[in-house]
């Protein structure tokens, strides 16, 4: 039969809604029904929750939750339950991770059905209960705000203070993160009503704990409309929250200067001085250190989550960048090509492409945008759209357009080196080298020619001119185009890979074809650099004109 909750303890639920809101509900009537129907004691507005989903009852002096035949069930600490006794800090869910969650709180009443009056020392059992409450909150893996509230409750209980506030330092100064009354109810942050200058003074003290008497009536900032009770002399305890360092806990506990603090635990009473004897001082300092650790762990967790979000975004960016590279290069016919691009970061500022202009003409480009990471990769992707489709008759115009684009978008802060060429079936190689590494033309007979720069990089000067050069290719000739990330790769001793090693690898493998040249250069690079990390993207493209017999 429904009735008032017995005097065995003060039970309540912390209701966490899907939007991040939170409220506290006292369990005053038993059984305490929960569901989406309007006549429940706790109404949850989620169509997936049953009309009468669950109820809380009293069983042999302990609270328990029962599933009322709901469709999706009741879960206590992640385990589905039909009937489950509840412990403080147990988390209750209703079958959906994105729905309501409840946290059960229960505080046993003392003798005569009341807590000791404020200002009286906490008994050993009460201190133990307070510390166990914090341990349960930690064990239940509640949010930092829930655990910090439990810490404030414990501090208030241990000292016999009337209220407690946990303040954190931010860009705008100190701000209240958790505020609790002696009865365990949340307080509005505005209830502090103590000038921040006084609390800031506590942070400037180079002691681990500051106890003082404070008369608000004479303090600046107190408004005349405050009640008489608020003007009474207050007994105040301030415990700085130290910045948790990378050293030992003992080292961290010794820090208390203002520059080493992230906030403080503020406790006050009007009825009498806080109890700081019988080990309470040490317990308070332990609670402050625990709060500091929780805050540091929360900061590190958020930092780790941000790092994971960034890595996931970079992985997506890398997949997009890889999709912009040519999926297939010509492997048969009168012209063949092979290439590879390895970014030094998740994404890189290099790109290459090989495309058909006509049946009798192919084009190739290698671009290296100055800088690293996402900004360089974005510019490289945009430039790819400018160069794609360029042929022998418009190469100069395309470079001029790329030059204007970079100057207009970056104001000369970003530039790109470019090697753009076209190869005709009749063997004409027409090329522009805009500040790029000189490609190596390996002739079938073994001679090597360098195709030196013909202009400045694109994006440096508005008046830059881009002039094309022409040479003749013979069947079996191999053109090796690469970025400076290849020639400037370093080994563990800091030596550069250099053009000489590229030349040696290319000449040795040229007779075996373009893919063999790419593989030979990669092997030589891996052997040279060993485990040395690289700071620049590595790109190599090899174009080969086939012999008459091979092109059939």
């Amino acid at each position: 039969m429904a009735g008032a909750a017995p005097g065995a303890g003060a039970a309540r639920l912390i209701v966490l809604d899907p939007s991040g809101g939170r409220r506290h509900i006292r369990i005053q009537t038993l059984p305490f029904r929960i569901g989406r129907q309007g006549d429940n004691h706790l109404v949850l507005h989620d169509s997936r929750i049953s009309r009468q989903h669950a109820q809380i009852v009293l069983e042999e002096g302990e609270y328990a939750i029962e599933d009322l035949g709901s469709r999706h069930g009741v879960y206590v600490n992640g385990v589905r339950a039909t009937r489950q006794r509840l412990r403080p800090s147990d988390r209750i869910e209703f079958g959906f991770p994105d729905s309501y969650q409840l946290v059960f709180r229960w505080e046993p009443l003392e003798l005569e059905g009341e807590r000791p009056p404020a200002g009286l020392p906490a008994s050993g059992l009460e201190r133990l209960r307070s510390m166990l409450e914090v341990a349960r909150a930690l064990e239940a893996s509640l949010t930092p705000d829930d655990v910090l509230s439990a810490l404030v409750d414990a501090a208030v209980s241990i000292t016999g203070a009337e209220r407690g506030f946990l303040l954190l330092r931010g860009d705008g100064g100190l701000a209240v993160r958790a505020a609790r009354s002696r009865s365990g109810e949340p307080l509005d942050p505005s209830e502090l009503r103590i000038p921040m200058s006084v609390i800031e003074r506590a942070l400037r003290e180079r002691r681990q704990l500051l106890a003082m008497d404070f008369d608000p009536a004479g303090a600046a900032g107190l408004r005349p409309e405050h009640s008489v009770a608020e003007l009474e002399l207050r007994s105040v305890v301030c415990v700085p929250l130290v910045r948790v360092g990378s050293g030992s806990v003992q080292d961290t506990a010794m820090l208390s200067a203002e520059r080493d603090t992230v906030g403080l635990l503020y406790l006050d009473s009007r009825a009498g001085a806080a109890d700081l004897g019988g080990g309470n001082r040490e317990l308070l300092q332990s609670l402050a250190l625990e709060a500091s650790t929780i805050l540091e762990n929360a900061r590190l967790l958020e930092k780790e989550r941000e790092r994971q979000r960034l890595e996931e975004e970079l992985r997506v960016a890398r997949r997009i960048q890889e999709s912009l590279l040519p999926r297939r290069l010509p492997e048969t016919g009168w012209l063949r090509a092979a290439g590879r691009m390895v970014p030094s970061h998740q994404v890189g500022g290099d790109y290459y492409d090989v495309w058909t202009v006509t049946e009798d003409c192919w084009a190739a480009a290698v671009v290296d945008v100055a800088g690293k990471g996402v900004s360089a990769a974005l510019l490289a992707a945009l430039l790819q759209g400018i160069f794609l489709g360029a042929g022998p008759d418009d190469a100069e115009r395309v470079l001029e357009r790329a030059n204007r684009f970079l100057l207009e978008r970056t104001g000369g802060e970003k530039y790109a080196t470019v090697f753009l060429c076209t190869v005709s079936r009749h063997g004409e190689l027409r090329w522009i080298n805009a500040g790029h590494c000189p490609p190596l033309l390996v002739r079938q007979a073994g001679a090597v020619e360098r195709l030196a720069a013909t202009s400045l990089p694109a994006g440096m000067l508005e008046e830059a001119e881009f002039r094309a050069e022409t040479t003749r290719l013979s069947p079996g000739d191999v053109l090796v185009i690469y970025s400076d990330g290849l020639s400037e790769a370093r080994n563990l001793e800091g030596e550069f890979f250099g053009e000489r090693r590229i030349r040696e690898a290319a000449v040795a493998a040229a007779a075996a074809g373009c893919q063999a040249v790419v593989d030979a250069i990669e092997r030589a690079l891996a052997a040279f650099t060993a485990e040395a990390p690289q700071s620049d993207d590595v790109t190599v493209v090899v174009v080969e004109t086939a012999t008459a017999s091979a092109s059939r």
Side-chain angles (χ1 to χ4, degrees), residues 213-285:
D213 291 331
F214 170 62
D215 184 1
L222 196 66
R223 298 189 299 276
E225 63 268 23
H226 288 159
S227 67
V228 174
E230 291 168 353
L231 298 177
E232 295 176 1
L233 184 70
R234 292 183 183 274
S235 172
V236 176
V237 174
C238 292
V239 190
L241 305 181
V242 300
R243 179 173 288 108
V244 177
S246 58
S248 66
V249 173
Q250 289 79 8
D251 293 338
T252 300
M254 294 303 294
L255 301 174
S256 59
E258 182 182 12
R259 59 185 171 82
D260 297 319
T261 57
V262 294
L264 83 162
L265 185 61
Y266 171 94
L267 307 162
D268 72 9
S269 294
R270 290 168 295 192
D275 178 21
L276 298 179
N280 289 350
R281 179 184 295 268
E282 290 74 16
L283 284 176
L284 275 181
Q285 291 170 347

Side-chain angles (χ1 to χ4, degrees), residues 240-505:
L241 305 181
V242 300
R243 179 173 288 108
V244 177
S246 58
S248 66
V249 173
Q250 289 79 8
D251 293 338
T252 300
M254 294 303 294
L255 301 174
S256 59
E258 182 182 12
R259 59 185 171 82
D260 297 319
T261 57
V262 294
L264 83 162
L265 185 61
Y266 171 94
L267 307 162
D268 72 9
S269 294
R270 290 168 295 192
D275 178 21
L276 298 179
N280 289 350
R281 179 184 295 268
E282 290 74 16
L283 284 176
L284 275 181
Q285 291 170 347
S286 295
L287 287 173
L289 186 57
E290 194 66 54
S292 301
T293 303
I294 291 166
L295 293 168
E296 178 64 10
N297 288 343
R299 184 189 70 82
L300 293 175
L301 179 60
E302 181 57 32
K303 186 176 180 180
E304 175 63 18
R305 286 173 176 168
E306 181 61 29
R307 185 188 66 79
Q308 291 176 356
R309 284 194 294 269
L310 179 59
E311 284 190 352
E312 179 58 28
E313 291 174 359
L314 288 175
R315 280 194 292 269
V316 172
R318 182 169 185 174
R319 287 197 295 270
I320 294 173
Q321 186 177 43
E322 289 173 347
S323 70
L324 295 176
L325 297 175
R327 294 186 179 182
R328 294 187 61 185
L329 296 176
E331 299 175 348
T332 61
W334 61 269
L335 182 133
R336 301 168 187 181
R340 188 73 54 81
M341 193 272 282
V342 180
S344 61
H345 298 76
Q346 287 277 21
V347 291
D350 287 7
Y351 96 84
Y352 72 89
D353 206 349
V354 179
W355 64 91
T356 305
V357 180
T358 67
E359 289 184 359
D360 296 324
C361 182
W362 282 83
V366 174
V367 177
D368 183 0
V369 177
K372 311 290 186 298
V374 176
S375 61
L378 287 173
L379 282 176
L382 292 172
L383 288 173
Q384 187 172 12
I386 294 177
F387 288 110
L388 188 61
D393 299 328
D394 55 3
E396 292 93 338
R397 187 169 62 255
V398 167
L399 260 300
E400 291 170 359
R401 187 161 66 243
N403 189 59
R404 287 196 305 272
F405 171 83
L406 288 172
L407 285 169
E408 291 171 359
R409 298 303 190 277
T410 70
E413 294 183 0
K414 286 284 188 181
Y415 63 89
T417 66
V418 181
F419 183 85
L420 174 64
C421 70
T422 58
V423 182
S424 72
R425 183 188 291 269
H426 306 296
E428 182 183 74
L429 172 65
R430 196 166 187 270
W431 51 276
I432 298 177
N433 185 342
H436 202 74
C437 301
L440 302 178
L441 179 53
V442 182
R443 298 291 186 178
Q444 187 181 26
V448 179
E449 301 174 14
R450 300 172 78 250
L451 304 185
T454 59
S455 68
L456 293 173
M460 273 194 165
L461 295 175
E462 186 174 355
E463 59 271 18
E465 295 183 1
F466 301 94
R467 176 173 48 85
E469 297 282 350
T470 303
T471 190
R472 178 69 55 180
L473 298 182
S474 301
D477 288 348
V478 171
L479 176 63
V480 181
I481 315 166
Y482 58 92
S483 65
D484 59 4
L486 176 61
S487 57
E488 295 178 3
R490 294 175 181 263
N491 61 12
L492 294 171
E493 287 72 38
E495 298 174 320
F496 288 116
F497 186 60
E499 182 182 304
R500 177 179 60 83
R501 291 182 176 87
I502 301 173
R503 180 195 301 257
E504 291 173 352

Side-chain angles (χ1 to χ4, degrees), residues 18-50:
S19 64
R22 149 190 333 225
R23 53 197 169 107
H24 292 249
I25 303 293
R26 282 185 176 274
I27 300 176
Q28 296 178 314
T29 302
L30 292 172
F32 184 86
R33 294 188 302 276
I34 303 168
R36 78 168 191 269
Q37 192 166 292
D39 60 353
N40 288 293
H41 299 101
L42 175 58
V43 180
L44 303 179
H45 300 286
D46 187 329
S47 60
R48 299 170 297 180
I49 293 176
S50 299

Side-chain angles (χ1 to χ4, degrees), residues 336-339 478-481 513-514 517-518 521 540-544:
R336 301 168 187 181
V478 171
L479 176 63
V480 181
I481 315 166
C514 55
V517 173
V518 171
I521 292 174
V540 58
V541 175
V542 179
V543 176
E544 169 196 9

